[in-house]
Amino acid sequence: MKMPEVLEHLPSVGHLLGRKPGGQEDILPKRDPTLTLPDFQAVPLPSSERRLGDGRTFIVHHPSPRAPRGPGLTVMSYNILMGGERQEALLEYFTQLEAQDRMPDVIGLQEAGVPMSVLLASRFGFHLAYQGSDGDDGTRLVNGKAWLSRHPIVDAAHFTYVLTDAERNDAIARQGYAGELVEDRGVLWLKLHVEGRPLYLYNLHHALGDSAINALNLRQLNALLRRREGVPAVVLGDFNANT
């Protein structure tokens, strides 16, 4: 089964949204701007409790990255919980992966805060792409996502899913409380060259609490995948599969 077909075959997705797969009503998520920083010291450190960042997507190239394991590519997905609050356990886990020569070439983190993402990337020899927002100054919270890559990052961008106030309010009414439905969700896209060939990777964190909003996330992810022009792709993350 080809990647663009996967989400169309999920039962109830089309029913929940009232849309036909591949129709003109497919909505593309909004691409946010990306900033390349000169080094890890230039990363702005948020002061909020979650420390998820100010909403800007940024890339930092490690000055002396460790080599990928190769051949091919090893990839891992890891939801590290609330910005990575269990720092000691996380560092020990990564230390053991490195000691046993089992560290993946590329790691997608969800619920990642800026300090933990920078610490893991800098200490273990990864380039870093990150996006997250604490929801300050009238913006919505976007739980942090990070890519750690030992392959050079060619490009990266965050795509925020489009959700109307009416769709959000209807979902909150169905659930009976706001919960995480007041947050925005999205996917952090990464472009690499692996063994001379381009590769796209998508690190996502989808809506928790309402199957219709989760299905809308899937539809917009599918619309994004359709426009990758045949480049091989890896999709991973926290799907929160309410559907």
Side-chain angles (χ1 to χ4, degrees), residues 86-156:
R86 298 173 182 172
Q87 177 173 317
E88 186 175 336
L90 275 171
L91 290 175
E92 176 61 21
Y93 177 65
F94 274 69
T95 298
Q96 289 301 317
L97 285 176
E98 189 82 324
Q100 299 170 22
D101 194 28
R102 297 174 58 197
M103 186 72 79
D105 301 319
V106 181
I107 302 174
L109 303 177
Q110 304 88 44
E111 297 199 36
V114 168
M116 178 55 71
S117 300
V118 169
L119 177 60
L120 293 174
S122 59
R123 179 173 296 189
F124 294 99
F126 289 99
H127 306 292
L128 172 65
Y130 180 88
Q131 204 274 351
S133 173
D134 287 295
D136 298 327
D137 301 323
T139 62
R140 293 188 182 277
L141 186 147
V142 180
N143 231 318
K145 294 177 288 295
W147 280 115
L148 310 179
S149 175
R150 287 184 171 170
H151 291 275
I153 295 174
V154 179
D155 197 5

Side-chain angles (χ1 to χ4, degrees), residues 36-235:
T36 299
L37 300 174
D39 51 43
F40 289 110
Q41 288 69 39
V43 175
L45 297 177
S47 57
S48 62
E49 181 179 350
R50 284 200 172 191
R51 300 180 294 173
L52 297 177
D54 59 11
R56 290 181 293 178
T57 307
F58 63 81
I59 299 170
V60 183
H61 298 284
H62 199 291
S64 53
R66 296 175 194 171
R69 290 170 59 191
L73 183 75
T74 52
V75 181
M76 181 173 80
S77 176
Y78 192 176
N79 186 322
I80 62 175
L81 181 64
M82 292 296 290
E85 59 183 15
R86 298 173 182 172
Q87 177 173 317
E88 186 175 336
L90 275 171
L91 290 175
E92 176 61 21
Y93 177 65
F94 274 69
T95 298
Q96 289 301 317
L97 285 176
E98 189 82 324
Q100 299 170 22
D101 194 28
R102 297 174 58 197
M103 186 72 79
D105 301 319
V106 181
I107 302 174
L109 303 177
Q110 304 88 44
E111 297 199 36
V114 168
M116 178 55 71
S117 300
V118 169
L119 177 60
L120 293 174
S122 59
R123 179 173 296 189
F124 294 99
F126 289 99
H127 306 292
L128 172 65
Y130 180 88
Q131 204 274 351
S133 173
D134 287 295
D136 298 327
D137 301 323
T139 62
R140 293 188 182 277
L141 186 147
V142 180
N143 231 318
K145 294 177 288 295
W147 280 115
L148 310 179
S149 175
R150 287 184 171 170
H151 291 275
I153 295 174
V154 179
D155 197 5
H158 187 265
F159 291 85
T160 301
Y161 296 134
V162 177
L163 183 64
T164 67
D165 289 341
E167 289 169 324
R168 192 186 305 272
N169 291 336
D170 286 347
I172 292 172
R174 286 192 295 269
Q175 181 171 254
Y177 60 95
E180 296 184 7
L181 294 174
V182 295
E183 303 175 13
D184 276 343
R185 299 286 166 150
V187 56
L188 183 59
W189 166 78
L190 187 71
K191 181 179 180 181
L192 303 177
H193 283 154
V194 179
E195 297 178 354
R197 301 178 64 184
L199 175 70
Y200 289 173
L201 298 98
Y202 301 82
N203 179 11
L204 58 87
H205 193 175
H206 282 182
L208 177 67
D210 186 80
S211 55
I213 300 302
N214 192 287
L216 188 148
N217 295 166
L218 290 169
R219 293 291 299 164
Q220 293 189 37
L221 172 65
N222 199 27
L224 192 61
L225 287 167
R226 287 181 180 278
R227 286 156 176 81
R228 73 186 197 283
E229 298 179 346
V231 176
V234 175
V235 181

